[in-house]
């Protein structure tokens, strides 16, 4: 392990912990906001504002790209690394998919609505095997139920991260990897294995990681600025998400220079809880969204009723998921880690 892979000081570690948590909360709230705007059918500037929150998923990808390397650098034990990732993602994800199975099973049996056709007849296995974005489906139900299109992307990256960490060992190599991922993203023309195109967003996070540890921040700002200029020059800045990704990369990189006076902000109990619950909110609010889709097929709701149901439902579901699923598995994870360390 080379010297520049080590974070320089305890002060920098504190800042990293602060800015990642804060940005993660922002990304989470952005995703919730876009779905809320869709459900209460906002229009005009308000809809445009809430719609921008949907780009929060790409900020999640960038943060995960950074954290994959940052975390693995601190844990030389690969079993520990995979165990922590598995226990943080899979139990909650599987629980939400299982809840959807029960909910839609009851809905299809008690109403005239039919189960969507899966052209490859995989059904729920698509979600349990993380194949919903890798195998094409005619009906979007089998691709993005509960807004889970991102989960296969996270799983793919975290599976590859230890290998990538050994291969991408410097800033120059992270730039090369980013260029390769850019090519894959733009020229991958098949509907199969779409998460491979998402490697680009994680590669941006890896670039930020090495920009910090090798002190290449200024070069990175210039590079991102030039790429953004080219997007504007060729009138591509408003097509796709690349403009947002570039902005997120700059904000993330700049966040490492936040004054230590602001680190105490994360000691705010509300923000601490939001960060602790961020992944639970990410999946839990989407389950409430699916539940509301069913309710609205059976009952007419006004905007205020939708807002109240969405808000209270999200709070209740997330509290139950955190207390009944997430927290018990965190305790079990710690016991397993103690066993591995021994």
């Amino acid at each position: 392990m080379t010297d520049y892979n080590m974070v320089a000081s305890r002060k920098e570690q504190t800042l990293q912990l602060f800015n990642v948590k804060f940005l993660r909360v922002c990304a989470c709230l952005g995703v919730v906001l876009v779905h809320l705007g869709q459900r209460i059918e906002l229009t005009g500037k308000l809809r445009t504002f809430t719609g921008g929150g949907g780009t929060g998923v790409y900020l999640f990808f960038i943060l995960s790209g950074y954290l994959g390397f940052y975390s693995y650098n601190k844990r030389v034990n690969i079993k520990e690394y995979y165990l922590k990732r598995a226990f943080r993602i899979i139990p909650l994800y599987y629980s939400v998919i299982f809840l959807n199975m029960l909910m839609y099973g009851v809905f299809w049996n008690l109403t005239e609505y039919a189960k969507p056709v899966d052209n490859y007849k995989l059904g729920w296995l698509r979600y349990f095997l993380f194949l919903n974005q890798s195998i094409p489906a005619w009906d979007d139900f089998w691709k993005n139920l509960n807004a889970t299109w991102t989960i296969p992307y996270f799983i793919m990256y975290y599976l590859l991260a230890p290998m990538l960490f050994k291969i991408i060992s410097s800033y120059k190599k992270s730039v090369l990897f980013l260029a390769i991922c850019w090519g894959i993203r733009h020229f991958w023309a098949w509907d199969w294995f779409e998460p491979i195109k998402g490697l680009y967003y994680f590669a941006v996070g890896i670039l930020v990681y090495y920009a910090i540890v090798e002190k290449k921040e200024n070069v990175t700002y210039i590079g991102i600025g030039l790429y953004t200029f080219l997007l504007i020059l060729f009138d591509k800045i408003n097509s796709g998400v690349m403009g947002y990704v570039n902005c997120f990369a700059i904000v993330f990189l700049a966040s490492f220079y936040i004054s230590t006076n602001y680190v105490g902000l994360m000691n705010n109990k509300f923000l601490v809880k939001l960060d602790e619950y961020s992944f639970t909110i990410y999946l839990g609010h989407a389950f409430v969204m699916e539940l509301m889709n069913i309710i609205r097929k059976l009952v007419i709701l006004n905007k205020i009723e939708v807002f109240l149901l969405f808000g209270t439902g999200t709070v209740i579901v997330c509290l139950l998921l955190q207390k009944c699923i997430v927290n018990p598995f965190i305790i079990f994870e710690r016991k397993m880690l103690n066993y591995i360390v021994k």
Side-chain angles (χ1 to χ4, degrees):
M1 197 177 301
T2 51
D3 289 339
Y4 52 73
N5 277 340
M6 303 303 295
V7 180
S9 69
R10 184 174 297 276
K11 177 181 176 182
E12 289 179 354
Q13 290 179 17
T14 303
L15 282 173
Q16 288 170 359
L17 184 64
F18 161 71
N19 63 355
V20 171
K21 286 183 175 182
F22 183 77
L23 291 174
R24 188 161 53 199
V25 168
C26 292
C28 178
L29 294 179
V31 174
V32 173
L33 201 60
V34 67
H35 291 147
L36 176 60
Q38 291 169 352
R39 291 307 174 278
I40 61 177
E41 299 176 349
L42 291 176
T43 57
K45 292 182 178 180
L46 274 177
R47 182 60 179 269
T48 302
F49 172 74
T50 59
T55 58
V57 295
Y58 301 101
L59 179 54
F60 268 125
F61 289 153
I62 294 170
L63 296 175
S64 296
Y66 173 87
L67 286 171
F69 272 45
Y70 179 74
S71 300
Y72 189 73
N73 183 47
K74 293 167 58 180
R75 297 181 179 89
V76 294
N77 189 322
I78 193 169
K79 292 181 180 179
E80 179 184 352
Y81 175 84
Y82 279 131
L83 190 68
K84 286 185 73 69
R85 292 296 168 275
F87 275 102
R88 293 298 169 91
I89 297 175
I90 295 176
L92 179 60
Y93 169 71
Y94 276 177
S95 297
V96 170
I97 295 301
F98 182 69
L99 287 173
N100 275 280
M101 286 180 64
L102 291 177
M103 179 175 67
Y104 276 102
V106 172
F107 176 65
W108 292 326
N109 284 322
L110 298 182
T111 67
E112 72 277 8
Y113 291 94
K115 181 179 180 180
V117 176
D118 181 1
N119 45 309
Y120 286 99
K121 299 181 178 180
L122 291 171
W124 294 104
L125 281 176
R126 285 179 177 271
Y127 292 105
F128 285 107
L129 298 178
F130 309 103
L131 296 174
N132 51 307
Q133 289 294 307
S134 293
I135 298 178
W138 294 335
D139 196 302
D140 194 56
F141 182 91
W142 298 115
K143 292 187 68 177
N144 190 31
L145 176 69
N146 213 107
T148 53
W149 69 270
T150 58
I151 301 301
Y153 287 68
F154 288 118
I155 293 294
M156 176 199 65
Y157 171 68
Y158 283 125
L159 283 173
L160 293 176
M163 179 186 69
L164 293 176
F165 184 82
K166 294 179 180 179
I167 297 172
I168 308 168
S169 56
S170 67
Y171 180 80
K172 289 182 180 179
K173 290 181 179 179
S174 72
V175 173
L176 176 60
F177 180 65
L178 184 68
I180 293 171
C181 291
W182 183 92
I184 293 173
R185 182 187 181 277
H186 284 272
F187 297 107
W188 187 273
W190 300 278
D191 292 332
W192 293 75
F193 306 110
E194 289 191 356
I196 196 72
K197 295 191 293 186
L199 268 178
Y200 176 82
Y201 311 117
F202 297 100
V204 172
I206 295 171
L207 179 74
V208 172
Y209 173 82
Y210 279 110
I212 294 298
V213 296
E214 292 189 32
K215 303 189 184 304
K216 301 283 188 180
E217 298 92 334
N218 291 337
V219 174
T220 307
Y221 285 131
I222 293 171
I224 295 173
L226 287 174
Y227 180 40
T228 304
F229 174 75
L230 290 174
L231 289 175
I232 296 171
L233 184 65
F234 291 98
D235 198 26
K236 298 291 185 181
I237 193 68
N238 293 319
S239 61
V241 297
M242 299 307 290
Y244 290 106
V245 171
N246 288 356
C247 289
F248 289 149
I250 290 173
V251 169
F252 186 28
L253 196 57
S255 70
F256 287 89
Y257 297 94
I258 295 174
S259 168
T260 54
N261 293 329
Y262 293 97
V263 175
L265 182 65
M266 280 309 300
N267 290 327
N268 180 284
K269 291 182 179 180
F270 181 66
L271 285 177
V272 169
K273 277 296 177 185
L274 278 179
D275 179 60
E276 179 186 340
Y277 278 65
S278 59
F279 188 51
T280 306
I281 295 171
Y282 183 76
L283 288 179
H285 92 279
F287 171 74
V288 174
M289 186 173 66
E290 293 292 337
L291 177 59
M292 290 183 63
N293 288 344
I294 290 177
I295 293 174
R296 296 182 76 180
K297 288 179 180 179
L298 305 174
V299 180
I300 297 175
L301 300 173
N302 60 43
K303 292 185 178 182
I304 295 177
E305 290 171 332
V306 171
F307 177 81
L308 292 175
L309 279 173
F310 186 91
T312 56
T314 297
V315 171
I316 293 171
V317 168
C318 290
L319 285 173
L320 288 173
L321 287 173
Q322 189 76 16
K323 299 298 181 183
C324 299
I325 304 297
V326 176
N327 290 346
F329 272 97
I330 289 176
I331 294 171
F332 184 59
E333 169 207 314
R334 288 169 182 166
K335 292 179 180 179
M336 290 292 292
L337 288 176
N338 290 334
Y339 176 77
I340 289 175
V341 170
K342 290 178 181 179

